[in-house]
Each structure stands twice: as C-alpha cells, then as structure tokens.
Amino acid sequence: MIKEITIFPGIDKNGFKEKFTYIKLKAGETVSIVGPTGSGKTAFITDIELLAQGDTSTKRRVIINGEIPTDEIRYNPSMKPIVMITQNTKCFADLTTEEFLQIHARARKIYDQKVIQATIDLANTFTGEKIKRDTRVTVLSGGQTRSLLIADAILIGAAPVILLDEIENAGIFKQEVVSLIHNTGKIVIFVTHDPVIALLTKTRIIMENGAVKNILYQNEPEIKVAQNLLELDKKIGHVREELRAGKAITYDFLSVNFA
Amino acid sequence: MKLVVIAGPPSAGKTSLIKQIVKRFKDEITIAFLKIDVVKAFEDIELKKEFGILTKKVYSGDLCPDHAGVMVLGDAVAWAEKSAADLLIVESAGLCLRCSPYLNQGLGIIVLSSISGIHVPEKMGAMVSLADVAVITKIDLVSQAEREVLIQKIKEVHTGIILMETNALQGNSLHRLYKLIKNSPDIDKDNLFLKGNPPLGTCTICVGKKEVGWKHHFGVVQKLDGPFAEYLYRGE
Ligand SMILES: Nc1ncnc2c1ncn2[C@@H]1O[C@H](COP(=O)(O)OP(=O)(O)OP(=O)(O)O)[C@@H](O)[C@H]1O
Ligand SMILES: Nc1nc2c(ncn2[C@@H]2O[C@H](COP(=O)(O)OP(=O)(O)O)[C@@H](O)[C@H]2O)c(=O)[nH]1
Ligand SMILES: [Mg+2]
Ligand SMILES: [Mg+2]
Ligand SMILES: [Zn+2]
Ligand SMILES: [Zn+2]
C-alpha cells in the first residue's frame, strides 16, 4: 500500500538544479500542478508515472514509501500503483470498448467480468453521448475517450495514485470527476489550467521552464474563493448543457448572479 | 565486441532508439553502426554526423534485406573488429515479415510503436517471436491504459520476451536496456548463426519471373484456395 511518494529534484530546461529538497505527497492528499504552457507540467507527472530514476529528460527521481521501486513495480502494469489520464484523446487499438477493457482488466489482474459494464456505465455519467460495449475505441470522440479512460482508471486501474492531465479540456463533466475522486484516500494530482480545480486542492506546485518554481498550500481566503467559483462554475455548466442540448436561453437564466 | 541487432517496421523508432543507445555509451566505448536497407537509407550519414561514430550501410536491392544481412554480417563484424569497436549495432530494414535478422549471439531487439495497432505483434511473426527484447516507442502519444493493453497483448503472444516502453525521442526509462547491453557477452565471430529458419530455397518469383498464377512457377508457391497445405514447395 502506498503511504507516500517522494520526488527528488532534477534539472530545469537549462540544466540547472531545481530548488526544492524533496516533495513528499501522502495518501489522501490532493495536488494541482499549474504553470504556463510548455513549463513541464506533463513532464512532472510523467516522471511519477514512470517512477523515474534519473532516467528521464528532467533527471528527477521518485520513490515510494521511502524505497526505490523494484523493476517489477516499474514495469509490470498489474503491480503499478499509479494510473494516469494523459492529454491524449485518441485510441489507436483496433478493438471494441468491451475488448479493450477486458484486455486491460487482464493486464491489471482483475478477473471479475462485472467490472467491464460498470466501467462503461461510469464513463457514461461523465459524457453526453453514450458509449456502447461494441463501439470501437478508435471511433470514440475526444470527450468519450477521456470519459472511458477516467472510468477505466478508477475501476480497472484502481490504483492509490491518480494523475490527471488537464481533464477540464475534454468537454466532460469535470465536477463529477473531481467529487468522485476527492476523499478517496488516494494521492490525486491534477495538472490544470482551471482555477476551480486548482483552488480545490490542498497543495499547488508551480512550474516554470521545466522546473518546480514554488509550492503553495491552500489558505483560508482561497477556500472561500473556491466555494464562490464552484457556484459560478455550476451555473456556467448549467447554461452550457442547455446550449449543448440545443435549447434557447431565456430570461430565467438572468436570475443567475454572475457577480 | 558486443553485438546488438535492431529490427522493427519502418518508422517504429529504431534509429531514434539507436541514437539513445549511442548517446549513452559513446563516451565509454567505441561504437560501430551498420544500416541494412532495401533502396535508400540515411541513418549512417546522420549518426556519423551527430555522434562521430563509425558507420556503414548496405542496400539489399532485390534480395530480402534479412538475407542480405546474413551475407554481409560476417564482413561487418570483421570491419567493426578491425576498427577496434566494442559494440556493433545493426539496424535492419524491417520489411521482411517472413525472416528475422537475429543471430544466436548478441542481443536481438524488436522496436514497435504504440500507435502501430494492436494486432501488429501477432502479424510480425519471427521478427517479434525470436527477439530477446521488445521496446515499445512513442508512449508519449497514447494513454496509459492503451499502453498496458498493448503490453498485455504482446505478453500473451510472446511470453518470454523482455518488454520495455520508452519515448525514444527522450530516451525515457531505458536504464534496463542499457544494463542488458552492458551485460551481454562478447560475440565469438566464428560461431555466428541465424536464429530463425531461412525461407525454403528460392522460387521463380525470387529470381525475377513475373508471370502471375502458380502454374507459371515452381519453388515455393501456393494457390490462393487450393487443396494444398498452407505452405507448398513445388520442385518443378
Ligand atoms: N526539466 C526539463 N528538462 C528538459 N526538458 C523538459 C523539462 N521539463 C519539460 N521538458 C520538455 O519540455 C516540453 C514541454 O513540457 P510539458 O509537455 O511537460 O509542458 P506542459 O506544462 O504540460 O504544457 P501544456 O500546458 O501545453 O500541456 C516537453 O517536450 C518536455 O519533455
Ligand atoms: N513522439 C514520438 N515520436 C517518435 C518516437 N520515436 C520515434 N519517433 C518519431 O518517429 C519517426 C520515425 O522514427 P525513426 O527512429 O526514424 O524510425 P525507424 O524507421 O524505425 O528508424 C521520426 O519522426 C521520429 O522522430 C517516440 O517515442 N515518440
Ligand atoms: Mg501538458
Ligand atoms: Mg531508421
Ligand atoms: Zn525474407
Ligand atoms: Zn520467393
């Protein structure tokens, strides 16, 4: 079981050493990674996913529960305590959704066939257009693919560390995703440009030029502002769903207080 | 001298992987590189320019590139040894799915791209099944779940193979491969054999007869739907 992961500094894009001594993340902790485009956010979580040992371009090292992970943990998916939702929204495998999930379940050594339908059902709560068992994964839309992969990460990956790369961009119901994986005792790391997600996490890691520039902890005013933004976000979401459903917006929505 | 033979379909990332290997070892040992291709290849020029290592190439022309490899590898080993190389890396054309370029000695590596499709490992026959190591490239382009699905598929088809994944442009997590290369024993050049079986002789197609239809040919021929076995040798 993962109690903590520790990240040791690497180098920035110019080859200078990062300024932190180490970053320790404990079970139950939520973290967001923020910073400009190209600043190394994806590279940071990829290091965690690969359990880097100085063998990635950032030269960072990642250890689990104070120990260097064994080759078995690094290279065997069924032992891997980490799931990652990448920025990619495309599947290339020529398989149906059902076959894809079945093989992945075998890779993760899950043999209860009920997990397949459960994963598809969960995915369908995140997305508008429903995914069917026999839909080929290559024809799923970007949002559908993301939804399926998030559901797969939660139910089939079922790992104690979840890494999510910019889930807000896929046009899925991010609030549902966020509330679902909050408070699960997992280490959850969001790479995000979304202020609501960023403010909801306890720890914020700020990236620049390929390196960790600063680490901030959620403060009192931020919790309040997050609540405000959350309300606002729900209202925007409501209008968005009406628009998506092809409806005209009426005066009723004026009661929405955007202030 | 150590020998590493690298195979895989075009654009799988063979050259990119070789660049990572060269980058890792070039300051410690002398590296020689041989590229075998059918008509055109630039890898030798590229690698020489970028790393200043010894390079050579050979075009197989009308011959199966893996057959060409068997023919020239003896010379290549002699050339590399004469040049005092500690490691000879051979990049195959990766076009012949019937044959495989691996030898009984050294390390045989198959390079496969994550985006080449889920059924490729099954279709590639000896090129995969006779390799010691499979390196999956382009993992930066697919989801983690899809990577794991591909790995599972390869494991189920080829149980003994050592699998690893990388972004070959960055050389992520290749420590394990470097360790395997470092630990692979020196080759004995008088005892090099092809690992796989060569094709059954040649046929009239092989020697350039162009008529279509099995009646015009002898050697290794096969009817599209016929009472024959899956493989057929017609001697006259
Ligand atoms: N420390 C580093 N040293 C060298 N290269 C790095 C480093 N960190 C990141 N890079 C490289 O910089 C490029 C951009 O990084 P990355 O994709 O992580 O950015 P990002 O913050 O996720 O951007 P976006 O918001 O657009 O997704 C990548 O090619 C990555 O490999
Ligand atoms: N994104 C990405 N591109 C790669 C990777 N490996 C190779 N490539 C690209 O794929 C193309 C073919 O690679 P190359 O090494 O020449 O393949 P070869 O034909 O097998 O030698 C090149 O454009 C490479 O830059 C990888 O891991 N990730
Ligand atoms: Mg990114
Ligand atoms: Mg090449
Ligand atoms: Zn051949
Ligand atoms: Zn022939």
Short mmCIF file of all heavy atoms in Angstrom, two decimals, chain B residues 138-159:
data_model
loop_
_atom_site.label_atom_id
_atom_site.label_comp_id
_atom_site.label_asym_id
_atom_site.label_seq_id
_atom_site.Cartn_x
_atom_site.Cartn_y
_atom_site.Cartn_z
N LYS B 138 7.09 5.64 -28.60
CA LYS B 138 6.01 6.62 -28.79
C LYS B 138 4.96 6.53 -27.69
O LYS B 138 3.77 6.80 -27.94
CB LYS B 138 5.36 6.48 -30.18
CG LYS B 138 6.42 6.49 -31.29
CD LYS B 138 5.87 6.72 -32.66
CE LYS B 138 6.99 6.50 -33.69
NZ LYS B 138 6.60 6.78 -35.06
N ILE B 139 5.36 6.19 -26.48
CA ILE B 139 4.37 6.09 -25.40
C ILE B 139 3.85 7.48 -25.03
O ILE B 139 2.85 7.61 -24.34
CB ILE B 139 4.93 5.39 -24.15
CG1 ILE B 139 6.12 6.16 -23.56
CG2 ILE B 139 5.31 3.96 -24.44
CD1 ILE B 139 6.52 5.65 -22.19
N ASP B 140 4.54 8.53 -25.50
CA ASP B 140 4.04 9.88 -25.24
C ASP B 140 2.79 10.17 -26.07
O ASP B 140 2.10 11.15 -25.82
CB ASP B 140 5.13 10.91 -25.57
CG ASP B 140 5.74 10.70 -26.97
OD1 ASP B 140 6.07 9.55 -27.30
OD2 ASP B 140 5.86 11.70 -27.71
N LEU B 141 2.47 9.32 -27.04
CA LEU B 141 1.33 9.62 -27.91
C LEU B 141 0.06 8.86 -27.54
O LEU B 141 -0.97 9.06 -28.15
CB LEU B 141 1.70 9.30 -29.37
CG LEU B 141 2.88 10.08 -29.95
CD1 LEU B 141 3.11 9.71 -31.41
CD2 LEU B 141 2.65 11.58 -29.82
N VAL B 142 0.12 7.96 -26.58
CA VAL B 142 -1.07 7.18 -26.24
C VAL B 142 -1.35 7.22 -24.73
O VAL B 142 -0.49 7.62 -23.95
CB VAL B 142 -0.97 5.70 -26.69
CG1 VAL B 142 -0.83 5.60 -28.19
CG2 VAL B 142 0.19 5.01 -26.01
N SER B 143 -2.55 6.78 -24.37
CA SER B 143 -2.92 6.77 -22.96
C SER B 143 -2.22 5.62 -22.23
O SER B 143 -1.79 4.65 -22.86
CB SER B 143 -4.43 6.62 -22.82
OG SER B 143 -4.82 5.36 -23.32
N GLN B 144 -2.16 5.76 -20.92
CA GLN B 144 -1.55 4.69 -20.13
C GLN B 144 -2.31 3.38 -20.32
O GLN B 144 -1.72 2.31 -20.48
CB GLN B 144 -1.54 5.08 -18.65
CG GLN B 144 -0.81 4.08 -17.77
CD GLN B 144 -1.18 4.23 -16.31
OE1 GLN B 144 -2.33 4.48 -15.95
NE2 GLN B 144 -0.20 4.08 -15.44
N ALA B 145 -3.65 3.46 -20.33
CA ALA B 145 -4.46 2.24 -20.47
C ALA B 145 -4.13 1.54 -21.79
O ALA B 145 -3.96 0.33 -21.83
CB ALA B 145 -5.95 2.59 -20.41
N GLU B 146 -4.00 2.33 -22.85
CA GLU B 146 -3.72 1.72 -24.14
C GLU B 146 -2.33 1.09 -24.17
O GLU B 146 -2.13 0.02 -24.75
CB GLU B 146 -3.86 2.74 -25.27
CG GLU B 146 -3.68 2.08 -26.62
CD GLU B 146 -4.32 2.84 -27.77
OE1 GLU B 146 -4.70 4.01 -27.58
OE2 GLU B 146 -4.44 2.26 -28.85
N ARG B 147 -1.37 1.73 -23.51
CA ARG B 147 -0.03 1.13 -23.41
C ARG B 147 -0.11 -0.22 -22.74
O ARG B 147 0.52 -1.20 -23.16
CB ARG B 147 0.89 2.04 -22.58
CG ARG B 147 1.43 3.23 -23.36
CD ARG B 147 1.95 4.29 -22.42
NE ARG B 147 2.79 3.77 -21.36
CZ ARG B 147 3.10 4.41 -20.24
NH1 ARG B 147 2.62 5.62 -20.04
NH2 ARG B 147 3.87 3.87 -19.34
N GLU B 148 -0.91 -0.27 -21.66
CA GLU B 148 -1.00 -1.52 -20.90
C GLU B 148 -1.73 -2.60 -21.68
O GLU B 148 -1.41 -3.79 -21.55
CB GLU B 148 -1.65 -1.25 -19.54
CG GLU B 148 -0.77 -0.36 -18.68
CD GLU B 148 -1.31 -0.08 -17.29
OE1 GLU B 148 -2.37 -0.63 -16.92
OE2 GLU B 148 -0.68 0.69 -16.56
N VAL B 149 -2.69 -2.18 -22.50
CA VAL B 149 -3.40 -3.14 -23.35
C VAL B 149 -2.42 -3.73 -24.36
O VAL B 149 -2.38 -4.95 -24.58
CB VAL B 149 -4.60 -2.46 -24.04
CG1 VAL B 149 -5.11 -3.29 -25.21
CG2 VAL B 149 -5.72 -2.21 -23.03
N LEU B 150 -1.59 -2.89 -24.96
CA LEU B 150 -0.62 -3.37 -25.95
C LEU B 150 0.40 -4.32 -25.31
O LEU B 150 0.71 -5.38 -25.86
CB LEU B 150 0.10 -2.18 -26.59
CG LEU B 150 1.11 -2.51 -27.68
CD1 LEU B 150 0.42 -3.14 -28.89
CD2 LEU B 150 1.87 -1.26 -28.13
N ILE B 151 0.89 -3.94 -24.14
CA ILE B 151 1.86 -4.78 -23.44
C ILE B 151 1.26 -6.15 -23.11
O ILE B 151 1.88 -7.19 -23.30
CB ILE B 151 2.30 -4.10 -22.13
CG1 ILE B 151 3.22 -2.94 -22.47
CG2 ILE B 151 3.02 -5.07 -21.21
CD1 ILE B 151 3.98 -2.43 -21.31
N GLN B 152 0.02 -6.13 -22.63
CA GLN B 152 -0.66 -7.37 -22.27
C GLN B 152 -0.77 -8.27 -23.50
O GLN B 152 -0.51 -9.47 -23.44
CB GLN B 152 -2.06 -7.04 -21.70
CG GLN B 152 -2.88 -8.25 -21.31
CD GLN B 152 -2.29 -9.00 -20.12
OE1 GLN B 152 -1.46 -8.45 -19.39
NE2 GLN B 152 -2.69 -10.24 -19.94
N LYS B 153 -1.14 -7.66 -24.62
CA LYS B 153 -1.30 -8.39 -25.88
C LYS B 153 0.03 -9.04 -26.29
O LYS B 153 0.09 -10.21 -26.65
CB LYS B 153 -1.78 -7.38 -26.93
CG LYS B 153 -2.51 -7.96 -28.10
CD LYS B 153 -3.84 -8.57 -27.75
CE LYS B 153 -4.19 -9.58 -28.82
NZ LYS B 153 -5.40 -9.31 -29.54
N ILE B 154 1.10 -8.28 -26.21
CA ILE B 154 2.41 -8.83 -26.60
C ILE B 154 2.80 -9.96 -25.65
O ILE B 154 3.29 -11.00 -26.07
CB ILE B 154 3.49 -7.73 -26.60
CG1 ILE B 154 3.15 -6.66 -27.63
CG2 ILE B 154 4.87 -8.33 -26.90
CD1 ILE B 154 4.08 -5.47 -27.62
N LYS B 155 2.57 -9.75 -24.37
CA LYS B 155 2.91 -10.78 -23.37
C LYS B 155 2.16 -12.07 -23.64
O LYS B 155 2.68 -13.16 -23.45
CB LYS B 155 2.51 -10.28 -21.97
CG LYS B 155 3.60 -9.57 -21.23
CD LYS B 155 3.12 -9.41 -19.80
CE LYS B 155 4.02 -8.50 -19.02
NZ LYS B 155 3.32 -7.98 -17.83
N GLU B 156 0.88 -11.94 -24.05
CA GLU B 156 0.08 -13.14 -24.28
C GLU B 156 0.55 -13.88 -25.52
O GLU B 156 0.45 -15.09 -25.61
CB GLU B 156 -1.41 -12.77 -24.38
CG GLU B 156 -1.99 -12.37 -23.02
CD GLU B 156 -3.42 -11.84 -23.08
OE1 GLU B 156 -4.00 -11.76 -24.20
OE2 GLU B 156 -3.95 -11.49 -22.01
N VAL B 157 1.08 -13.15 -26.51
CA VAL B 157 1.55 -13.80 -27.74
C VAL B 157 2.99 -14.29 -27.59
O VAL B 157 3.35 -15.35 -28.08
CB VAL B 157 1.44 -12.82 -28.94
CG1 VAL B 157 1.83 -13.53 -30.23
CG2 VAL B 157 0.03 -12.27 -29.07
N HIS B 158 3.81 -13.50 -26.93
CA HIS B 158 5.24 -13.83 -26.81
C HIS B 158 5.62 -13.81 -25.33
O HIS B 158 6.05 -12.79 -24.81
CB HIS B 158 6.09 -12.81 -27.58
CG HIS B 158 5.67 -12.67 -29.01
ND1 HIS B 158 5.95 -13.62 -29.96
CD2 HIS B 158 4.96 -11.73 -29.65
CE1 HIS B 158 5.44 -13.25 -31.12
NE2 HIS B 158 4.83 -12.10 -30.96
N THR B 159 5.45 -14.96 -24.68
CA THR B 159 5.55 -14.98 -23.23
C THR B 159 6.95 -14.69 -22.69
O THR B 159 7.09 -14.08 -21.65
CB THR B 159 5.09 -16.35 -22.67
OG1 THR B 159 5.62 -17.35 -23.54
CG2 THR B 159 3.59 -16.45 -22.64
#
